[in-house]
Amino acid sequence: MLDHIGSTPLVRLDKLFSQDHVTVLAKLETFNPSGSVKDRIVKHIIEDAERSGVLRSGGTIVENTSGNTGAAIAMIAAIKGYRAILTMPDKVSQEKQDALRALGAEVVRCPTSAQPGSPDHYVRRARDIAASIPGSFMIDQYDNPKNAEAHYLTTGKEIWEQTGGEIDYFVASGSTGGTISGIGRYLKERLPDLKVIMPDPVGSIYHDYFNTGTVDHGKIGTYQVEGVGEDHIAECMDFTVVDEVLQFEDADAFAMARRLARQEGIFAGGSSGANLWGCVQIARRSDEPVTIVTVLPDSGLKYLSKFFSDRWMKAQGHDISS
């Protein structure tokens, strides 16, 4: 199973982007064993912890997650015989929660509205649990530099080889920042003129922080897209590789994910929709031939009860005509 992490396909999206001068290539991370891009970082971090002796046989892995990192942890913990305890915001889809439990993980749900640093916040809760269990190990995906390193060593290298280095833009939203930071650094070291674009949901901290260098807590809010944006600055997020941050609404991401399924036959999650929305913005402003690469982090199967449900979309006030 672990040997099949990575080496995911890169496909051209011809129907969503039919302009002759625009090429959009999407990395399909749902082909990883647990169904998301997070398999890469969890494998890399756990193997490093095993080599260093920080994580020992029969140990406990604790982590805060929006679901995909948790699924990767639960899968690898099952394979290797570790106990897994995972904290998550209660907005996380029921499909994700059920998958973690099916793989044997213990799930602790926390209020999405909990403020960073409060005992009920899912990041703080994970740290408190880890501190209470002797010898436990945290993946620490938000602040662990091994997160971005995993993408630098694997995903970035794969994209470079699959495109032959013919890339003008790389588009990826971020939460921990590992994907955009690792891939962005790898590609920019080889293509200094490459532009890295980061879509960010309204309510996330990153857009204002990127543009002002300060944090306005009054602008932090809740949003429905899972796995992107953040309410605190993750140490893993490297803004030096980012050229522009674009704000999107939940409806933008959901509409693009639904269009992707119906027009390209690719079933992907809300973060994929956000990334494709970002690609649309770049395509619209481009008059010359341009190649845009993005990542589709996970599968739409994890969101059947949410934005792929017409009933849910209508209840949330979202348009289902697109």
Side-chain angles (χ1 to χ4, degrees):
M1 286 283 283
L2 301 185
D3 289 341
H4 290 285
I5 293 175
S7 299
T8 54
L10 186 75
V11 301
R12 180 168 179 166
L13 305 180
D14 289 321
K15 297 183 178 67
L16 284 178
F17 301 90
S18 58
Q19 307 98 311
D20 291 338
H21 67 289
V22 175
T23 298
V24 175
L25 304 172
K27 191 93 163 114
L28 305 186
E29 289 300 293
T30 187
F31 277 75
N32 285 303
S34 84
S36 89
V37 68
K38 296 297 188 177
D39 286 9
R40 296 176 183 268
I41 72 164
V42 173
K43 176 187 177 184
H44 185 63
I45 292 171
I46 285 179
E47 288 180 346
D48 179 74
E50 290 171 333
R51 284 191 298 267
S52 67
V54 176
L55 179 59
R56 300 181 182 276
S57 178
T60 299
I61 302 173
V62 182
E63 186 64 3
N64 42 269
T65 175
S66 60
N68 286 329
T69 298
I73 292 169
M75 177 189 72
I76 296 176
I79 292 170
K80 291 176 171 283
Y82 297 121
R83 179 189 181 192
I85 304 175
L86 306 167
T87 67
M88 59 177 51
D90 55 14
K91 75 173 182 179
V92 170
S93 71
Q94 193 63 47
E95 292 91 334
K96 285 184 180 179
Q97 297 180 45
D98 291 345
L100 302 185
R101 294 188 179 97
L103 287 164
E106 300 167 45
V107 176
V108 179
R109 298 172 72 249
C110 303
T112 298
S113 59
Q115 295 299 306
S118 69
D120 288 335
H121 191 269
Y122 75 118
V123 176
R124 169 71 180 277
R125 187 83 176 95
R127 295 191 183 282
D128 289 345
I129 291 172
S132 71
I133 301 174
S136 65
F137 173 72
M138 281 195 70
I139 298 293
D140 197 19
Q141 60 174 324
Y142 287 91
D143 300 330
N144 190 338
K146 293 290 179 182
N147 178 343
E149 182 180 84
H151 290 293
Y152 180 89
L153 295 173
T154 66
T155 331
K157 183 174 183 289
E158 290 171 25
I159 290 172
W160 174 257
E161 293 173 348
Q162 288 169 317
T163 60
E166 297 294 325
I167 315 169
D168 299 299
Y169 289 89
F170 174 64
V171 178
S173 48
S175 179
T176 69
T179 302
I180 190 171
S181 299
I183 297 173
R185 180 160 63 91
Y186 186 94
L187 295 178
K188 279 204 163 189
E189 286 178 358
R190 289 150 183 82
L191 294 168
D193 292 334
L194 174 83
K195 300 300 181 185
V196 175
I197 310 299
M198 180 179 172
D200 192 50
V202 173
S204 168
I205 205 170
Y206 286 146
H207 177 266
D208 276 4
Y209 182 79
F210 176 81
N211 287 291
T212 68
T214 61
V215 174
D216 183 349
H217 291 280
K219 293 184 178 181
I220 299 175
T222 59
Y223 44 89
Q224 296 169 322
V225 177
E226 298 178 27
V228 297
E230 202 44 71
D231 58 10
H232 67 287
I233 303 297
E235 292 181 18
C236 191
M237 181 67 232
D238 181 6
F239 284 107
T240 66
V241 305
V242 178
D243 293 286
E244 186 176 3
V245 178
L246 303 174
Q247 273 192 309
F248 69 87
E249 301 277 359
D250 288 320
D252 299 322
F254 297 155
M256 284 303 300
R258 287 165 67 100
R259 287 182 59 197
L260 177 69
R262 295 174 181 179
Q263 295 180 31
E264 298 280 2
I266 298 174
F267 202 27
S271 58
S272 299
N275 290 348
L276 291 174
W277 175 87
C279 294
V280 169
Q281 310 316 305
I282 301 305
R284 285 175 175 169
R285 68 170 74 159
S286 300
D287 297 323
E288 300 295 324
V290 62
T291 297
I292 308 166
V293 174
T294 192
V295 174
L296 306 186
D298 69 356
S299 168
L301 288 171
K302 301 181 179 186
Y303 309 95
L304 287 173
S305 66
K306 290 196 150 184
F307 64 87
F308 279 113
S309 163
D310 287 354
R311 180 183 300 176
W312 185 90
M313 288 284 284
K314 290 177 180 177
Q316 302 302 317
H318 297 309
D319 181 23
I320 63 170
S321 61
S322 57

PDB file of all heavy atoms in Angstrom, residues 271-298:
ATOM      1  N   SER A 271     -11.941  21.730  -2.252  1.00  0.00           N
ATOM      2  CA  SER A 271     -10.648  22.396  -2.421  1.00  0.00           C
ATOM      3  C   SER A 271     -10.197  22.317  -3.873  1.00  0.00           C
ATOM      4  O   SER A 271      -9.544  23.233  -4.383  1.00  0.00           O
ATOM      5  CB  SER A 271      -9.596  21.779  -1.496  1.00  0.00           C
ATOM      6  OG  SER A 271      -9.456  20.392  -1.732  1.00  0.00           O
ATOM      7  N   SER A 272     -10.552  21.224  -4.562  1.00  0.00           N
ATOM      8  CA  SER A 272     -10.260  21.123  -5.994  1.00  0.00           C
ATOM      9  C   SER A 272     -11.039  22.191  -6.753  1.00  0.00           C
ATOM     10  O   SER A 272     -10.511  22.826  -7.669  1.00  0.00           O
ATOM     11  CB  SER A 272     -10.647  19.737  -6.510  1.00  0.00           C
ATOM     12  OG  SER A 272      -9.915  18.722  -5.864  1.00  0.00           O
ATOM     13  N   GLY A 273     -12.305  22.393  -6.364  1.00  0.00           N
ATOM     14  CA  GLY A 273     -13.099  23.441  -6.983  1.00  0.00           C
ATOM     15  C   GLY A 273     -12.494  24.810  -6.775  1.00  0.00           C
ATOM     16  O   GLY A 273     -12.472  25.645  -7.687  1.00  0.00           O
ATOM     17  N   ALA A 274     -11.970  25.045  -5.575  1.00  0.00           N
ATOM     18  CA  ALA A 274     -11.317  26.326  -5.284  1.00  0.00           C
ATOM     19  C   ALA A 274     -10.093  26.530  -6.172  1.00  0.00           C
ATOM     20  O   ALA A 274      -9.866  27.613  -6.718  1.00  0.00           O
ATOM     21  CB  ALA A 274     -10.917  26.384  -3.811  1.00  0.00           C
ATOM     22  N   ASN A 275      -9.297  25.474  -6.320  1.00  0.00           N
ATOM     23  CA  ASN A 275      -8.099  25.577  -7.157  1.00  0.00           C
ATOM     24  C   ASN A 275      -8.462  25.849  -8.613  1.00  0.00           C
ATOM     25  O   ASN A 275      -7.819  26.661  -9.290  1.00  0.00           O
ATOM     26  CB  ASN A 275      -7.277  24.292  -7.046  1.00  0.00           C
ATOM     27  CG  ASN A 275      -6.626  24.130  -5.685  1.00  0.00           C
ATOM     28  OD1 ASN A 275      -6.595  25.073  -4.890  1.00  0.00           O
ATOM     29  ND2 ASN A 275      -6.128  22.951  -5.404  1.00  0.00           N
ATOM     30  N   LEU A 276      -9.516  25.182  -9.094  1.00  0.00           N
ATOM     31  CA  LEU A 276      -9.935  25.396 -10.478  1.00  0.00           C
ATOM     32  C   LEU A 276     -10.530  26.788 -10.669  1.00  0.00           C
ATOM     33  O   LEU A 276     -10.361  27.402 -11.730  1.00  0.00           O
ATOM     34  CB  LEU A 276     -10.938  24.324 -10.890  1.00  0.00           C
ATOM     35  CG  LEU A 276     -10.348  22.925 -11.014  1.00  0.00           C
ATOM     36  CD1 LEU A 276     -11.433  21.908 -11.269  1.00  0.00           C
ATOM     37  CD2 LEU A 276      -9.303  22.877 -12.132  1.00  0.00           C
ATOM     38  N   TRP A 277     -11.231  27.293  -9.652  1.00  0.00           N
ATOM     39  CA  TRP A 277     -11.711  28.676  -9.709  1.00  0.00           C
ATOM     40  C   TRP A 277     -10.512  29.623  -9.892  1.00  0.00           C
ATOM     41  O   TRP A 277     -10.577  30.571 -10.692  1.00  0.00           O
ATOM     42  CB  TRP A 277     -12.470  29.022  -8.438  1.00  0.00           C
ATOM     43  CG  TRP A 277     -12.898  30.456  -8.360  1.00  0.00           C
ATOM     44  CD1 TRP A 277     -14.041  31.009  -8.849  1.00  0.00           C
ATOM     45  CD2 TRP A 277     -12.154  31.537  -7.759  1.00  0.00           C
ATOM     46  NE1 TRP A 277     -14.062  32.358  -8.589  1.00  0.00           N
ATOM     47  CE2 TRP A 277     -12.920  32.714  -7.929  1.00  0.00           C
ATOM     48  CE3 TRP A 277     -10.930  31.615  -7.101  1.00  0.00           C
ATOM     49  CZ2 TRP A 277     -12.488  33.944  -7.457  1.00  0.00           C
ATOM     50  CZ3 TRP A 277     -10.497  32.849  -6.634  1.00  0.00           C
ATOM     51  CH2 TRP A 277     -11.282  34.003  -6.809  1.00  0.00           C
ATOM     52  N   GLY A 278      -9.429  29.345  -9.173  1.00  0.00           N
ATOM     53  CA  GLY A 278      -8.218  30.152  -9.330  1.00  0.00           C
ATOM     54  C   GLY A 278      -7.661  30.059 -10.739  1.00  0.00           C
ATOM     55  O   GLY A 278      -7.217  31.068 -11.315  1.00  0.00           O
ATOM     56  N   CYS A 279      -7.696  28.865 -11.324  1.00  0.00           N
ATOM     57  CA  CYS A 279      -7.225  28.686 -12.701  1.00  0.00           C
ATOM     58  C   CYS A 279      -8.077  29.504 -13.672  1.00  0.00           C
ATOM     59  O   CYS A 279      -7.557  30.071 -14.645  1.00  0.00           O
ATOM     60  CB  CYS A 279      -7.270  27.208 -13.091  1.00  0.00           C
ATOM     61  SG  CYS A 279      -6.115  26.155 -12.183  1.00  0.00           S
ATOM     62  N   VAL A 280      -9.392  29.567 -13.410  1.00  0.00           N
ATOM     63  CA  VAL A 280     -10.287  30.357 -14.260  1.00  0.00           C
ATOM     64  C   VAL A 280      -9.884  31.826 -14.235  1.00  0.00           C
ATOM     65  O   VAL A 280      -9.871  32.503 -15.275  1.00  0.00           O
ATOM     66  CB  VAL A 280     -11.755  30.189 -13.811  1.00  0.00           C
ATOM     67  CG1 VAL A 280     -12.649  31.219 -14.507  1.00  0.00           C
ATOM     68  CG2 VAL A 280     -12.254  28.790 -14.107  1.00  0.00           C
ATOM     69  N   GLN A 281      -9.551  32.343 -13.059  1.00  0.00           N
ATOM     70  CA  GLN A 281      -9.156  33.759 -12.949  1.00  0.00           C
ATOM     71  C   GLN A 281      -7.895  34.042 -13.761  1.00  0.00           C
ATOM     72  O   GLN A 281      -7.798  35.081 -14.436  1.00  0.00           O
ATOM     73  CB  GLN A 281      -8.927  34.140 -11.479  1.00  0.00           C
ATOM     74  CG  GLN A 281     -10.036  33.747 -10.516  1.00  0.00           C
ATOM     75  CD  GLN A 281     -11.433  34.022 -11.028  1.00  0.00           C
ATOM     76  OE1 GLN A 281     -11.769  35.153 -11.399  1.00  0.00           O
ATOM     77  NE2 GLN A 281     -12.266  32.984 -11.061  1.00  0.00           N
ATOM     78  N   ILE A 282      -6.929  33.126 -13.716  1.00  0.00           N
ATOM     79  CA  ILE A 282      -5.694  33.315 -14.476  1.00  0.00           C
ATOM     80  C   ILE A 282      -5.972  33.213 -15.966  1.00  0.00           C
ATOM     81  O   ILE A 282      -5.449  33.998 -16.771  1.00  0.00           O
ATOM     82  CB  ILE A 282      -4.638  32.273 -14.049  1.00  0.00           C
ATOM     83  CG1 ILE A 282      -4.341  32.394 -12.552  1.00  0.00           C
ATOM     84  CG2 ILE A 282      -3.358  32.447 -14.867  1.00  0.00           C
ATOM     85  CD1 ILE A 282      -3.907  33.766 -12.104  1.00  0.00           C
ATOM     86  N   ALA A 283      -6.794  32.244 -16.363  1.00  0.00           N
ATOM     87  CA  ALA A 283      -7.106  32.055 -17.785  1.00  0.00           C
ATOM     88  C   ALA A 283      -7.781  33.302 -18.354  1.00  0.00           C
ATOM     89  O   ALA A 283      -7.505  33.706 -19.491  1.00  0.00           O
ATOM     90  CB  ALA A 283      -7.993  30.832 -17.958  1.00  0.00           C
ATOM     91  N   ARG A 284      -8.672  33.908 -17.582  1.00  0.00           N
ATOM     92  CA  ARG A 284      -9.410  35.085 -18.058  1.00  0.00           C
ATOM     93  C   ARG A 284      -8.505  36.278 -18.312  1.00  0.00           C
ATOM     94  O   ARG A 284      -8.778  37.102 -19.189  1.00  0.00           O
ATOM     95  CB  ARG A 284     -10.490  35.459 -17.042  1.00  0.00           C
ATOM     96  CG  ARG A 284     -11.698  34.533 -17.054  1.00  0.00           C
ATOM     97  CD  ARG A 284     -12.669  34.894 -15.949  1.00  0.00           C
ATOM     98  NE  ARG A 284     -13.884  34.077 -16.023  1.00  0.00           N
ATOM     99  CZ  ARG A 284     -14.798  34.037 -15.068  1.00  0.00           C
ATOM    100  NH1 ARG A 284     -14.654  34.779 -13.974  1.00  0.00           N
ATOM    101  NH2 ARG A 284     -15.865  33.271 -15.209  1.00  0.00           N
ATOM    102  N   ARG A 285      -7.432  36.374 -17.550  1.00  0.00           N
ATOM    103  CA  ARG A 285      -6.558  37.535 -17.694  1.00  0.00           C
ATOM    104  C   ARG A 285      -5.406  37.284 -18.682  1.00  0.00           C
ATOM    105  O   ARG A 285      -4.570  38.161 -18.890  1.00  0.00           O
ATOM    106  CB  ARG A 285      -5.999  37.952 -16.333  1.00  0.00           C
ATOM    107  CG  ARG A 285      -5.030  36.959 -15.737  1.00  0.00           C
ATOM    108  CD  ARG A 285      -4.300  37.493 -14.510  1.00  0.00           C
ATOM    109  NE  ARG A 285      -5.127  37.570 -13.327  1.00  0.00           N
ATOM    110  CZ  ARG A 285      -4.631  37.609 -12.089  1.00  0.00           C
ATOM    111  NH1 ARG A 285      -3.312  37.590 -11.894  1.00  0.00           N
ATOM    112  NH2 ARG A 285      -5.435  37.678 -11.045  1.00  0.00           N
ATOM    113  N   SER A 286      -5.347  36.093 -19.268  1.00  0.00           N
ATOM    114  CA  SER A 286      -4.225  35.713 -20.131  1.00  0.00           C
ATOM    115  C   SER A 286      -4.611  35.831 -21.607  1.00  0.00           C
ATOM    116  O   SER A 286      -5.564  35.183 -22.062  1.00  0.00           O
ATOM    117  CB  SER A 286      -3.788  34.275 -19.832  1.00  0.00           C
ATOM    118  OG  SER A 286      -3.387  34.149 -18.483  1.00  0.00           O
ATOM    119  N   ASP A 287      -3.868  36.650 -22.348  1.00  0.00           N
ATOM    120  CA  ASP A 287      -4.078  36.796 -23.796  1.00  0.00           C
ATOM    121  C   ASP A 287      -3.098  35.949 -24.590  1.00  0.00           C
ATOM    122  O   ASP A 287      -3.379  35.555 -25.716  1.00  0.00           O
ATOM    123  CB  ASP A 287      -3.922  38.260 -24.208  1.00  0.00           C
ATOM    124  CG  ASP A 287      -4.974  39.152 -23.561  1.00  0.00           C
ATOM    125  OD1 ASP A 287      -6.122  38.694 -23.418  1.00  0.00           O
ATOM    126  OD2 ASP A 287      -4.629  40.289 -23.186  1.00  0.00           O
ATOM    127  N   GLU A 288      -1.937  35.666 -23.999  1.00  0.00           N
ATOM    128  CA  GLU A 288      -0.913  34.869 -24.666  1.00  0.00           C
ATOM    129  C   GLU A 288      -1.046  33.405 -24.244  1.00  0.00           C
ATOM    130  O   GLU A 288      -1.697  33.098 -23.244  1.00  0.00           O
ATOM    131  CB  GLU A 288       0.477  35.401 -24.286  1.00  0.00           C
ATOM    132  CG  GLU A 288       0.726  36.846 -24.662  1.00  0.00           C
ATOM    133  CD  GLU A 288       0.720  37.058 -26.166  1.00  0.00           C
ATOM    134  OE1 GLU A 288       1.191  36.142 -26.880  1.00  0.00           O
ATOM    135  OE2 GLU A 288       0.237  38.109 -26.616  1.00  0.00           O
ATOM    136  N   PRO A 289      -0.427  32.477 -24.997  1.00  0.00           N
ATOM    137  CA  PRO A 289      -0.450  31.061 -24.605  1.00  0.00           C
ATOM    138  C   PRO A 289       0.064  30.878 -23.181  1.00  0.00           C
ATOM    139  O   PRO A 289       1.084  31.466 -22.791  1.00  0.00           O
ATOM    140  CB  PRO A 289       0.492  30.401 -25.621  1.00  0.00           C
ATOM    141  CG  PRO A 289       0.403  31.275 -26.832  1.00  0.00           C
ATOM    142  CD  PRO A 289       0.273  32.675 -26.288  1.00  0.00           C
ATOM    143  N   VAL A 290      -0.663  30.091 -22.393  1.00  0.00           N
ATOM    144  CA  VAL A 290      -0.318  29.941 -20.985  1.00  0.00           C
ATOM    145  C   VAL A 290      -0.600  28.509 -20.548  1.00  0.00           C
ATOM    146  O   VAL A 290      -1.590  27.894 -20.967  1.00  0.00           O
ATOM    147  CB  VAL A 290      -1.120  30.947 -20.122  1.00  0.00           C
ATOM    148  CG1 VAL A 290      -2.618  30.697 -20.217  1.00  0.00           C
ATOM    149  CG2 VAL A 290      -0.671  30.926 -18.682  1.00  0.00           C
ATOM    150  N   THR A 291       0.278  27.974 -19.714  1.00  0.00           N
ATOM    151  CA  THR A 291       0.089  26.646 -19.128  1.00  0.00           C
ATOM    152  C   THR A 291      -0.039  26.791 -17.617  1.00  0.00           C
ATOM    153  O   THR A 291       0.854  27.341 -16.964  1.00  0.00           O
ATOM    154  CB  THR A 291       1.259  25.706 -19.459  1.00  0.00           C
ATOM    155  OG1 THR A 291       1.317  25.509 -20.874  1.00  0.00           O
ATOM    156  CG2 THR A 291       1.071  24.350 -18.777  1.00  0.00           C
ATOM    157  N   ILE A 292      -1.166  26.325 -17.089  1.00  0.00           N
ATOM    158  CA  ILE A 292      -1.477  26.431 -15.670  1.00  0.00           C
ATOM    159  C   ILE A 292      -1.560  25.022 -15.093  1.00  0.00           C
ATOM    160  O   ILE A 292      -2.247  24.161 -15.639  1.00  0.00           O
ATOM    161  CB  ILE A 292      -2.821  27.153 -15.443  1.00  0.00           C
ATOM    162  CG1 ILE A 292      -2.847  28.492 -16.188  1.00  0.00           C
ATOM    163  CG2 ILE A 292      -3.096  27.342 -13.949  1.00  0.00           C
ATOM    164  CD1 ILE A 292      -4.241  29.107 -16.292  1.00  0.00           C
ATOM    165  N   VAL A 293      -0.860  24.788 -13.991  1.00  0.00           N
ATOM    166  CA  VAL A 293      -0.898  23.488 -13.319  1.00  0.00           C
ATOM    167  C   VAL A 293      -1.547  23.663 -11.957  1.00  0.00           C
ATOM    168  O   VAL A 293      -1.277  24.639 -11.241  1.00  0.00           O
ATOM    169  CB  VAL A 293       0.516  22.886 -13.156  1.00  0.00           C
ATOM    170  CG1 VAL A 293       0.476  21.606 -12.322  1.00  0.00           C
ATOM    171  CG2 VAL A 293       1.119  22.604 -14.519  1.00  0.00           C
ATOM    172  N   THR A 294      -2.413  22.736 -11.590  1.00  0.00           N
ATOM    173  CA  THR A 294      -3.030  22.771 -10.274  1.00  0.00           C
ATOM    174  C   THR A 294      -3.111  21.367  -9.703  1.00  0.00           C
ATOM    175  O   THR A 294      -2.766  20.389 -10.366  1.00  0.00           O
ATOM    176  CB  THR A 294      -4.428  23.424 -10.319  1.00  0.00           C
ATOM    177  OG1 THR A 294      -4.878  23.692  -8.993  1.00  0.00           O
ATOM    178  CG2 THR A 294      -5.443  22.538 -11.029  1.00  0.00           C
ATOM    179  N   VAL A 295      -3.556  21.284  -8.459  1.00  0.00           N
ATOM    180  CA  VAL A 295      -3.680  20.016  -7.749  1.00  0.00           C
ATOM    181  C   VAL A 295      -5.143  19.808  -7.372  1.00  0.00           C
ATOM    182  O   VAL A 295      -5.808  20.737  -6.907  1.00  0.00           O
ATOM    183  CB  VAL A 295      -2.808  20.020  -6.473  1.00  0.00           C
ATOM    184  CG1 VAL A 295      -3.047  18.766  -5.643  1.00  0.00           C
ATOM    185  CG2 VAL A 295      -1.338  20.140  -6.828  1.00  0.00           C
ATOM    186  N   LEU A 296      -5.652  18.598  -7.581  1.00  0.00           N
ATOM    187  CA  LEU A 296      -6.980  18.225  -7.111  1.00  0.00           C
ATOM    188  C   LEU A 296      -6.774  17.303  -5.913  1.00  0.00           C
ATOM    189  O   LEU A 296      -6.473  16.115  -6.079  1.00  0.00           O
ATOM    190  CB  LEU A 296      -7.776  17.528  -8.219  1.00  0.00           C
ATOM    191  CG  LEU A 296      -7.884  18.293  -9.555  1.00  0.00           C
ATOM    192  CD1 LEU A 296      -8.818  17.550 -10.510  1.00  0.00           C
ATOM    193  CD2 LEU A 296      -8.334  19.729  -9.354  1.00  0.00           C
ATOM    194  N   PRO A 297      -6.899  17.850  -4.685  1.00  0.00           N
ATOM    195  CA  PRO A 297      -6.432  17.136  -3.494  1.00  0.00           C
ATOM    196  C   PRO A 297      -7.172  15.868  -3.110  1.00  0.00           C
ATOM    197  O   PRO A 297      -6.565  14.951  -2.555  1.00  0.00           O
ATOM    198  CB  PRO A 297      -6.562  18.193  -2.377  1.00  0.00           C
ATOM    199  CG  PRO A 297      -6.496  19.498  -3.092  1.00  0.00           C
ATOM    200  CD  PRO A 297      -7.218  19.252  -4.381  1.00  0.00           C
ATOM    201  N   ASP A 298      -8.500  15.793  -3.351  1.00  0.00           N
ATOM    202  CA  ASP A 298      -9.214  14.603  -2.877  1.00  0.00           C
ATOM    203  C   ASP A 298     -10.444  14.320  -3.719  1.00  0.00           C
ATOM    204  O   ASP A 298     -10.716  15.000  -4.707  1.00  0.00           O
ATOM    205  CB  ASP A 298      -9.545  14.707  -1.390  1.00  0.00           C
ATOM    206  CG  ASP A 298     -10.592  15.771  -1.076  1.00  0.00           C
ATOM    207  OD1 ASP A 298     -11.023  16.492  -1.997  1.00  0.00           O
ATOM    208  OD2 ASP A 298     -10.993  15.884   0.100  1.00  0.00           O
TER     209      ASP A 298
END
